[in-house]
Amino acid sequence: MGTIRKINAQTKNRFLNMYELEVTKKTGSEGRYYVSSRAEDEKDLKLVTHENRADGVIIFGITPDLQKVLLVRQYRYPIDAYVYELPAGLIDAGETYRTAAVREVHEETGLMLEPLDVDPMYEEPRFTTVGMTDESCARVFGYVSGKISRKYQEESEEIEAVLVDRAESMRILREEYVAASCAYHLERFAVTEDPFADFRRK
């Protein structure tokens, strides 16, 4: 397998950084590889720590009657367009996955989240786009209630929170930009009477 000889930090930002890796490929030839990361210092890169620590949370929230799923329609600079996503955000120091999820849902949508008690396997951090970043996110499942509001959004966020039924879920999947982390759960919601059936702790 390939080996990493040296790590060169390319940027020094708060939320996202670029690192250049000097590598030796499996054939013995030398090359370079570029990695983006939430890590502010190379000592915190997952290729250094070899620990899959969650950077953020992704929340799959539905209404208690199981009839609507919570999505956010958000403007994203990398594609200069709006895309449908599940609510998500970074985990603050000292927060659990579920605490972070409750906070993020409220900040982005104004709604309250009641996290579901699931087998920890389903909440385990998973890599988002491992070919280009070491970012890892935990998933949190739960019921959402209350009234949608933009009151708690940050100035930099362009987010429209929506509760959509199964028919609208299918339309969004067919016609709109949808983040990969959202698409699987939206597909599941659209065709399953109880999307949480397999996740609840037995």
Side-chain angles (χ1 to χ4, degrees):
M1 89 181 176
T3 57
I4 300 166
R5 300 192 319 275
K6 187 178 179 183
I7 304 168
N8 302 308
Q10 301 282 292
T11 60
K12 189 69 173 178
N13 299 314
R14 181 179 175 195
F15 294 116
L16 185 65
N17 286 291
M18 180 70 74
Y19 295 87
E20 177 193 64
L21 310 181
E22 296 180 24
V23 303
T24 301
K25 302 174 185 177
K26 66 178 183 179
T27 58
S29 63
E30 296 183 353
R32 297 180 189 279
Y33 198 93
Y34 296 89
V35 176
S36 62
S37 177
R38 299 289 186 183
E40 295 182 41
D41 190 280
E42 68 179 61
K43 68 178 172 45
D44 297 318
L45 288 166
K46 293 181 177 69
L47 63 88
V48 174
T49 66
H50 294 281
E51 295 176 1
N52 185 9
R53 178 184 54 80
D55 300 293
V57 288
I58 299 171
I59 303 102
F60 182 32
I62 59 177
T63 54
D65 63 3
L66 312 181
Q67 297 306 303
K68 292 186 177 180
V69 62
L70 175 62
L71 303 178
V72 291
R73 181 176 176 268
Q74 185 163 196
Y75 175 77
R76 292 297 197 180
Y77 287 110
I79 59 172
D80 188 27
Y82 283 88
V83 59
Y84 282 90
E85 305 174 55
L86 294 178
L90 298 178
I91 299 172
D92 290 342
E95 285 187 317
T96 65
Y97 302 154
R98 295 179 188 180
T99 302
V102 169
R103 176 182 55 75
E104 284 292 344
V105 166
H106 192 251
E107 288 177 358
E108 291 190 355
T109 74
L111 298 178
M112 300 304 297
L113 174 74
E114 179 187 345
L116 196 65
D117 185 25
V118 300
D119 185 314
M121 173 187 73
Y122 295 115
E123 289 182 333
E124 279 295 305
R126 307 292 180 186
F127 295 108
T128 55
T129 312
V130 76
M132 62 177 288
T133 178
D134 67 353
E135 183 187 59
S136 183
C137 289
R139 291 180 300 166
V140 174
F141 307 84
Y143 298 110
V144 292
S145 60
K147 184 177 180 180
I148 289 176
S149 170
R150 295 185 180 182
K151 178 180 178 181
Y152 307 100
Q153 291 179 13
E154 296 177 12
E155 182 184 4
S156 61
E157 294 177 320
E158 291 188 46
I159 298 174
E160 176 190 1
V162 290
L163 289 165
V164 302
D165 61 18
R166 287 171 172 80
E168 178 65 0
S169 295
M170 292 302 292
R171 185 201 68 77
I172 289 169
L173 286 165
R174 289 191 180 101
E175 301 176 10
E176 307 285 353
Y177 286 136
V178 181
S181 58
C182 173
Y184 166 75
H185 292 294
L186 195 56
E187 291 160 1
R188 181 182 178 86
F189 171 78
V191 301
T192 308
E193 185 176 328
D194 181 358
F196 289 158
D198 296 333
F199 299 117
R200 288 191 187 86
R201 193 188 289 269
K202 305 300 188 217

